[in-house]
Amino acid sequence: MSQIPPLVAAVYSERLTRRNESVLTEIWDLLDQVKDPEIPVLSIWDLGVLTQVEMQQENLLISITPTYSGCPAMDTIRDDISSLLVEGGYQNFSIKLVLSPVWSTDLMSPEGKANLQQYGIAPPVSNASCNSDECLKISCPHCGSLNTKTLSQFGSTACKALYQCQDCNEPFDYFKNF
Amino acid sequence: MVMTMNDETKQAVLNFTVRLGDDAVVMGHRVAEWCRNAPFLEEDLALSNVALDFIGRARMFYGYAAELANDGRKEDDFAYMRDHREYQNLLIMELPRGDFAYTMVRQLLVDVFNLYYLEQLMKSTDEMLAAIAAKSIKETRYHLRRSQEWVLRLGLGTEESKSRAQKALDDIWGFTHELFDLDELEQQMAGAGIGVDNGSLKESWSLKVKAILLEASLTVPEDGWKVKGGREGYHTEYLGQMLNEMQCVHRANPGLEW
């Protein structure tokens, strides 16, 4: 390893700045309650799906970006945002699906990645620190061993691959670097 | 971009976008047919996930088409309410899934094509098409990694896996030429910087495909017969049957959502 990987990717920092500089803090905070329906330890903020919260005239505009094109969770996420806002007393809002800039796992929050690990899912190796297959050593979320192998490039959902640890023998999901 | 398009260009972009949706939905449906039929569980999951990517891609294209059409049609109308003569997908997408070798060989040929095609479409002057391409190409790279590995495994596996992969290749090869044809609409779109000059992709496609086939010790078929017509709505008999199955629930319950 000649380079020390950055702690967070630039795309994440930009998103974080957007949130920190926003005057709509309560909305961002409220939306932390919306979780990925498949991985309930990840909020849509952690996942990188929530990209912008802004006021356009009298209307609250929430921008979200899809993870995988065919991910069925997106429809659920949209519905969850909508019901949460209605419960919170917000009436004039719209939810916009934006494709650009394209979602990547670098948009995920460091807290989210830590939560994934604790939950038993190996978090994605950062795009910023790795550009080839060779450096993609996936660490077992159970025992921490790097002696792991791919069982299948697709796991229980599009975003995960199936791995097995060759030291503790536990199979586990790896949230793919994407 | 959308705001400044004149009606004629808008109609052309709409037609062009619908075609890309057709390619994706038809391929997605074929791959999805493996759901609960794959040789083992992991492969079942993998194929279903690949299928979902294609169907998601189709939704993005059809969704954009609906936006351009602005006549009340939704993405579902494009997928479910058009007959086979109106579908303009490339024929290779609609071929029945066949055996596992057939599915994987077709997947490889399509994945390599998509890789180069989407790379160009990402540069489209149409921002929406460029965004869809940027999203899709990441998925295609994953698909290709898998289809490539499978073709190697099949070619270098047993006598039977090799002969099945070779037969699939011989049966499908004649459908690959259509990938690089441009009709009037495609020429217009490529010329305007919106679409892609498919013809220019042929060399890279051939090089990459042939290298993989060589490594898999499979024989590259000779360029003999060619079939085309998908872009004009002339299809194999299989598309009608596939659409029948794909569309029957929606047509029995128009506008149904779940």
Side-chain angles (χ1 to χ4, degrees):
Chain A
M1 290 287 241
S2 56
Q3 278 181 318
I4 298 166
L7 282 175
V8 291
V11 280
Y12 174 73
S13 308
E14 281 165 30
R15 200 166 63 96
L16 185 63
T17 310
R18 240 183 349 259
R19 177 173 180 160
N20 289 340
E21 287 176 356
S22 169
V23 290
L24 301 164
T25 319
E26 60 192 86
I27 312 283
W28 288 94
D29 292 351
L30 179 68
L31 294 178
D32 279 338
Q33 288 175 39
V34 181
K35 308 292 180 191
D36 179 329
E38 308 261 13
I39 313 170
V41 293
L42 285 186
S43 68
I44 53 172
W45 165 260
D46 291 327
L47 195 57
V49 160
L50 180 60
T51 59
Q52 181 64 298
V53 175
E54 61 199 316
M55 286 303 286
Q56 285 196 337
Q57 281 107 34
E58 298 294 294
N59 190 43
L60 183 61
L61 180 66
I62 315 289
S63 300
I64 54 174
T65 187
T67 52
Y68 285 72
S69 328
C71 184
M74 290 311 295
D75 292 336
T76 314
I77 287 173
R78 189 188 271 264
D79 290 348
D80 289 351
I81 295 176
S82 184
S83 8
L84 193 66
L85 288 172
V86 170
E87 273 171 37
Y90 299 94
Q91 281 164 348
N92 300 322
F93 63 86
S94 44
I95 302 164
K96 188 176 156 202
L97 198 67
V98 291
L99 295 179
S100 183
V102 63
W103 178 81
S104 92
T105 42
D106 283 350
L107 281 165
M108 286 174 71
S109 73
E111 297 80 12
K113 288 183 182 177
N115 288 347
L116 268 184
Q117 175 96 19
Q118 281 216 317
Y119 190 62
I121 298 174
V125 173
S126 163
N127 284 328
S129 64
C130 175
N131 290 312
S132 70
D133 287 355
E134 285 67 41
C135 62
L136 279 178
K137 283 258 173 21
I138 309 306
S139 128
C140 169
H142 305 291
C143 73
S145 165
L146 285 171
N147 184 18
T148 57
K149 66 169 181 186
T150 318
L151 292 183
S152 172
Q153 283 169 14
F154 289 90
S156 51
T157 61
C159 57
K160 288 176 277 174
L162 200 57
Y163 272 71
Q164 186 174 22
C165 177
Q166 293 179 286
D167 283 330
C168 74
N169 283 331
E170 280 292 322
F172 64 91
D173 268 335
Y174 164 55
F175 198 112
K176 287 183 290 202
N177 167 45
F178 199 70
Chain B
M1 181 69 204
V2 179
M3 307 305 288
T4 58
M5 263 188 234
N6 66 37
D7 286 351
E8 206 178 318
T9 313
K10 201 166 172 177
Q11 186 60 44
V13 176
L14 167 61
N15 294 347
F16 179 69
T17 304
V18 170
R19 287 177 172 189
L20 298 177
D22 291 348
D23 283 339
V25 84
V26 170
M27 183 73 180
H29 190 86
R30 281 305 186 204
V31 180
E33 289 173 357
W34 280 98
C35 182
R36 80 176 172 76
N37 290 313
F40 49 91
L41 183 61
E42 286 80 1
E43 197 45 46
D44 206 289
L45 287 169
L47 284 162
S48 304
N49 275 313
V50 171
L52 263 180
D53 287 341
F54 276 96
I55 292 164
R57 196 174 295 185
R59 289 189 63 182
M60 293 191 284
F61 284 124
Y62 287 152
Y64 181 42
E67 194 183 303
L68 289 170
N70 195 24
D71 56 6
R73 276 184 293 174
K74 294 193 210 157
E75 57 184 43
D76 277 359
D77 294 300
F78 289 96
Y80 295 126
M81 301 306 285
R82 288 156 58 239
D83 291 326
H84 62 103
R85 282 290 277 112
E86 293 164 273
Y87 261 74
Q88 298 192 346
N89 59 282
L90 296 161
L91 300 176
I92 193 170
M93 313 292 177
E94 73 196 42
L95 301 172
R97 72 178 197 267
D99 60 13
F100 187 72
Y102 191 95
T103 284
M104 279 306 156
V105 168
R106 183 240 309 263
Q107 188 75 43
L108 173 75
L109 301 174
V110 169
D111 287 345
V112 176
F113 173 73
N114 280 342
L115 180 74
Y116 294 120
Y117 188 90
L118 293 170
E119 221 168 65
Q120 295 304 314
L121 192 63
M122 278 171 68
K123 300 178 197 155
S124 171
T125 53
D126 184 298
E127 285 171 14
M128 191 62 178
L129 290 178
I132 298 174
K135 180 114 203 93
S136 304
I137 197 167
K138 297 176 82 177
E139 292 161 0
T140 282
R141 289 195 192 110
Y142 250 102
H143 301 165
L144 176 59
R145 202 189 290 181
R146 240 174 54 78
S147 55
Q148 178 173 349
E149 274 179 18
W150 264 119
V151 168
L152 288 177
R153 215 173 299 176
L154 292 166
L156 303 170
T158 62
E159 275 302 306
E160 180 168 4
S161 69
K162 182 177 178 173
S163 71
R164 285 185 184 227
Q166 186 63 54
K167 180 168 188 326
L169 193 57
D170 296 341
D171 288 350
I172 301 171
W173 198 255
F175 290 93
T176 61
H177 306 291
E178 190 188 31
L179 300 173
F180 308 102
D181 276 347
L182 277 89
D183 71 356
E184 206 179 313
L185 174 62
E186 283 161 325
Q187 281 169 15
Q188 185 197 341
M189 290 291 99
I194 297 169
V196 174
D197 176 7
N198 300 14
S200 71
L201 309 176
K202 180 147 194 175
E203 204 182 326
S204 334
W205 180 89
S206 297
L207 277 173
K208 189 162 184 83
V209 164
K210 286 175 182 173
I212 296 167
L213 296 179
L214 187 71
E215 197 184 341
S217 82
L218 294 168
T219 310
V220 179
E222 279 177 31
D223 289 337
W225 55 279
K226 294 180 184 181
V227 191
K228 51 186 265 191
R231 293 295 192 219
E232 292 169 83
Y234 292 115
H235 292 278
T236 65
E237 65 178 288
Y238 308 114
L239 182 70
Q241 294 161 4
M242 194 204 95
L243 290 181
N244 205 9
E245 191 177 307
M246 189 180 97
Q247 297 177 333
C248 66
V249 174
H250 187 91
R251 293 204 179 201
N253 306 275
L256 186 71
E257 286 186 24
W258 61 83

